Amino acid sequence: FISVNDYKSPFYTYISSFFYLIFGGGELTIRLPAAIFGSLIILAVYSLTLKLLENENVALMSSFLTAVSPFEIFFSRKSFENVIGIFFMLAGFTLLLLYVRKKSTKFILLSNFSLGIAIYTYYSHVIIVPLLLMMFIWIYREFFLKNLRQILHFGLLLILLCPLLIIIMSNPASRYRSSDVFVIQDINLGRNIDSAKSTNQFINFFARNKAIFDFSFNRYLEQFNFAFIFGNGLDFTDQGLLDMGPLLLMQFPFLILGTVYLVKLKNHTKEKKFILAWIILGMLPSGLTFEQHSPHRSIMVFTMLNIISAAGLVFFFDYLRSVNIRILTYRFILTISIAVFSVNYLYFIHMYFVNFPFEKSQYLHYPFKQVAKFAWKHHDEFDQIIFDPLFGEIAPVVGTAAHYYLAYYGGYPPAKFQKEHKGGSKEREMLFDKFSIRKIDWREDRNLRNVLLIGSPWSLPIETIDKSEIINTFYFYNHKEAFYAVKL
């Protein structure tokens, strides 16, 4: 789906339509799929951990850490399609492990179906799932070589992927998103390539590809940066070090202990290799995009890091019990650990519900909802309503999906909207009903009559406009002016 020119994968759209059928239009309808699958991930993590390490305490702790992890809560509440994809990945590989253990054909068939859905939910999974599946087969090659016929069952997955492969090969639009987010779009890489240019065609080809490889490799390694994972990866605040990462800071020592625990674990060699492959391959999408960090593309890795942290926690307290320390000392250490965790978690809650909306309103598209409702309240009073979504607290950015906000909060029939909405002749213009979402050119637009003009201080010379013409002001959470409604 073209959406706001970011070409959304279809699964979330289709599953949302199912909830729309049941509940009708509403914010609940949009949020429910991610909320449900975000909750199901907790169960999926428990099941996968239990099959990988065969330790129920680690499995329970993994599911607990998943339930309270900043990245899990943040992206589930954002209705992010990757959350759904991760669930089907976890379920798919859990079923594969069950197949290896129990040799029942139904598990491999169900696994193919689950992994097929995972591939359809998110773009990066088109690459990651097949790579991880090949790695799984390689790690368990002794089993599959003894059961060569069983590999034929993966033909179901190929059949499920045929429509997707046909679309990728035949529809140029399907490749637009990949090229648009690929690392080559990074301005710094562009400078590196320009500086490496040569008049010799062969040297130029070699230098260009070396520059891309070096930059991509460094970008990939940067995804494992401590500050990103535990300090500022979710970008909740502008206050420097006082930020939040995808994982809680208190998990770091237990992540180290969990790594040591897995290294020393004498059995489960294949499972440990699979965990390592999951982490190495899972960071590829984030490392190959133009953004320096994109935590939404690394959810599968953070999920696995939770499992390792859980192993570290269980290992730590098992060790304390094994060395026969006094019960009071054990309880003291346990109490301190719970207290540190609670403080860390409450800090995350505060950052998420207080700092983030207050300091990053524009990332929530606030106050687009308020603008849309106001525009519809005065809809019949004007011949045209012009909305320029250029806004920002510090620097101007164009807020995408403004036309969707206007249609949604106006209760505009989706079928009618799809037929009506079209591009206009002016810069960034999108038209439907009497709405024009475009760039405001005050030199021309000031001469319009019976028009409602909604724009930000970046679009309007507000100090020169008669105060009587400003009929409403919309504010960010921090009370800075976001938009003005001007009656012409």
Side-chain angles (χ1 to χ4, degrees):
F1 290 96
I2 294 175
S3 188
V4 289
N5 289 321
D6 60 352
Y7 292 85
K8 294 287 187 185
S9 54
F11 187 85
Y12 202 99
T13 302
Y14 290 133
I15 199 167
S16 296
S17 68
F18 172 75
F19 287 98
Y20 186 93
L21 179 67
I22 299 173
F23 300 106
E27 294 181 16
L28 177 67
T29 300
I30 299 170
R31 298 180 185 276
L32 262 179
I36 290 172
F37 281 96
S39 301
L40 289 175
I41 279 181
I42 299 168
L43 297 175
V45 166
Y46 171 84
S47 298
L48 179 65
T49 308
L50 195 60
K51 297 299 174 291
L52 281 172
L53 302 177
E54 298 181 305
N55 186 315
E56 187 167 2
N57 288 332
V58 175
L60 286 169
M61 186 57 67
S62 298
S63 59
F64 170 74
L65 290 179
T66 299
V68 300
S69 285
F71 78 90
E72 168 71 15
I73 294 171
F74 181 61
F75 289 111
S76 293
R77 287 174 59 86
K78 273 187 84 172
S79 301
F80 209 77
E81 59 263 33
N82 196 11
V83 171
I84 299 177
I86 298 301
F87 166 76
F88 283 109
M89 280 185 64
L90 293 167
F93 284 105
T94 301
L95 288 163
L96 264 184
L97 286 166
L98 275 169
Y99 166 68
V100 170
R101 305 273 167 77
K102 299 187 176 182
K103 301 180 178 64
S104 176
T105 303
K106 66 179 180 182
F107 291 124
I108 194 171
L109 294 176
L110 288 171
S111 172
N112 284 338
F113 186 73
S114 184
L115 294 176
I117 295 177
I119 290 173
Y120 276 95
T121 56
Y122 196 61
Y123 284 102
S124 65
H125 294 171
V126 176
I127 303 298
I128 294 302
V129 172
L131 285 177
L132 198 54
L133 181 58
M134 287 189 287
M135 187 60 68
F136 184 92
I137 294 172
W138 171 254
I139 292 171
Y140 290 91
R141 60 188 178 278
E142 292 179 6
F143 170 82
F144 285 106
L145 285 173
K146 292 178 182 177
N147 302 271
L148 267 176
R149 288 186 180 180
Q150 301 300 320
I151 296 179
L152 296 176
H153 288 106
F154 289 111
L156 172 62
L157 183 60
L158 292 176
I159 293 171
L160 291 171
L161 296 184
C162 279
L164 181 63
L165 296 174
I166 292 170
I167 291 171
I168 291 173
M169 297 299 294
S170 62
N171 187 354
S174 68
R175 298 187 293 272
Y176 173 83
R177 180 182 171 91
S178 298
S179 60
D180 195 47
V181 301
F182 190 53
V183 68
I184 197 71
Q185 302 296 329
D186 191 285
I187 189 171
N188 294 314
L189 175 56
R191 290 176 184 148
N192 293 350
I193 292 173
D194 288 339
S195 64
K197 279 185 177 178
S198 170
T199 53
N200 185 291
Q201 190 173 0
F202 174 77
I203 294 176
N204 189 52
F205 174 81
F206 176 79
R208 171 186 168 82
N209 285 283
K210 183 179 184 302
I212 294 173
F213 175 81
D214 291 346
F215 190 89
S216 301
F217 185 66
N218 289 327
R219 172 65 55 85
Y220 172 80
L221 293 179
E222 182 64 23
Q223 307 311 305
F224 295 96
N225 187 304
F226 170 86
F228 163 63
I229 296 176
F230 297 98
N232 56 23
L234 294 181
D235 194 23
F236 282 164
T237 179
D238 295 318
Q239 300 180 46
L241 295 175
L242 301 175
D243 211 326
M244 278 303 304
L247 300 183
L248 296 169
L249 181 60
M250 63 82 60
Q251 287 182 239
F252 177 67
F254 297 107
L255 180 63
I256 300 299
L257 284 175
T259 304
V260 173
Y261 167 77
L262 291 176
V263 169
K264 289 187 174 182
L265 198 63
K266 293 181 180 179
N267 51 6
H268 298 93
T269 302
K270 293 181 175 63
E271 288 77 10
K272 289 189 288 185
K273 289 179 180 178
F274 181 67
I275 290 172
L276 181 62
W278 185 288
I279 294 171
I280 292 173
L281 293 175
M283 277 299 191
L284 282 175
S286 188
L288 294 176
T289 58
F290 71 95
E291 298 167 292
Q292 183 176 3
H293 293 295
S294 46
H296 55 284
R297 296 188 178 95
S298 308
I299 294 175
M300 63 177 288
V301 175
F302 301 141
T303 302
M304 190 58 72
L305 294 182
N306 269 338
I307 293 174
I308 298 174
S309 301
L313 267 164
V314 173
F315 168 68
F316 175 68
F317 285 102
D318 281 350
Y319 174 77
L320 290 180
R321 283 194 293 267
S322 69
V323 294
N324 295 320
I325 62 172
R326 291 193 302 173
I327 188 67
L328 286 177
T329 304
Y330 178 82
R331 288 178 178 174
F332 174 75
I333 294 173
L334 180 62
T335 302
I336 292 297
S337 299
I338 294 173
V340 171
F341 169 81
S342 300
V343 169
N344 196 179
Y345 186 70
L346 290 173
Y347 179 76
F348 155 63
I349 294 297
H350 183 272
M351 293 296 294
Y352 180 41
F353 287 104
V354 179
N355 288 66
F356 181 53
F358 186 83
E359 299 180 42
K360 305 278 187 174
S361 295
Q362 68 189 64
Y363 295 104
L364 303 173
H365 274 183
Y366 187 86
F368 275 43
K369 175 181 177 179
Q370 287 70 20
V371 168
K373 288 190 170 184
F374 179 84
W376 279 103
K377 181 180 178 181
H378 298 275
H379 178 269
D380 297 333
E381 301 171 20
F382 299 94
D383 295 330
Q384 187 182 32
I385 300 174
I386 299 171
F387 177 34
D388 186 349
L390 182 76
F391 79 136
E393 296 164 273
I394 300 174
V397 294
V398 177
T400 57
H403 48 301
Y404 292 135
Y405 278 95
L406 289 168
Y408 180 80
Y409 287 107
Y412 209 72
K416 186 178 179 182
F417 174 75
Q418 290 174 357
K419 291 178 181 178
E420 283 187 4
H421 95 282
K422 60 183 179 179
S425 58
K426 297 184 180 294
E427 187 173 348
R428 295 192 275 105
E429 189 170 34
M430 181 66 67
L431 300 166
F432 80 96
D433 192 68
K434 61 172 65 175
F435 293 101
S436 171
I437 300 93
R438 63 171 174 83
K439 178 182 178 181
I440 290 176
D441 186 343
W442 181 246
R443 292 170 298 179
E444 294 183 8
D445 294 331
R446 66 189 300 176
N447 299 316
L448 297 172
R449 290 295 173 264
N450 202 32
V451 168
L452 177 62
L453 208 65
I454 303 175
S456 70
W458 303 101
S459 303
L460 294 168
I462 203 67
E463 66 282 350
T464 67
I465 299 175
D466 193 314
K467 302 303 180 190
S468 64
E469 295 179 326
I470 303 173
I471 60 175
N472 198 26
T473 303
F474 304 91
Y475 297 93
F476 291 114
Y477 276 114
N478 60 9
H479 307 300
K480 289 183 180 179
E481 293 85 355
F483 294 104
Y484 299 97
V486 180
K487 177 181 180 181
L488 299 177

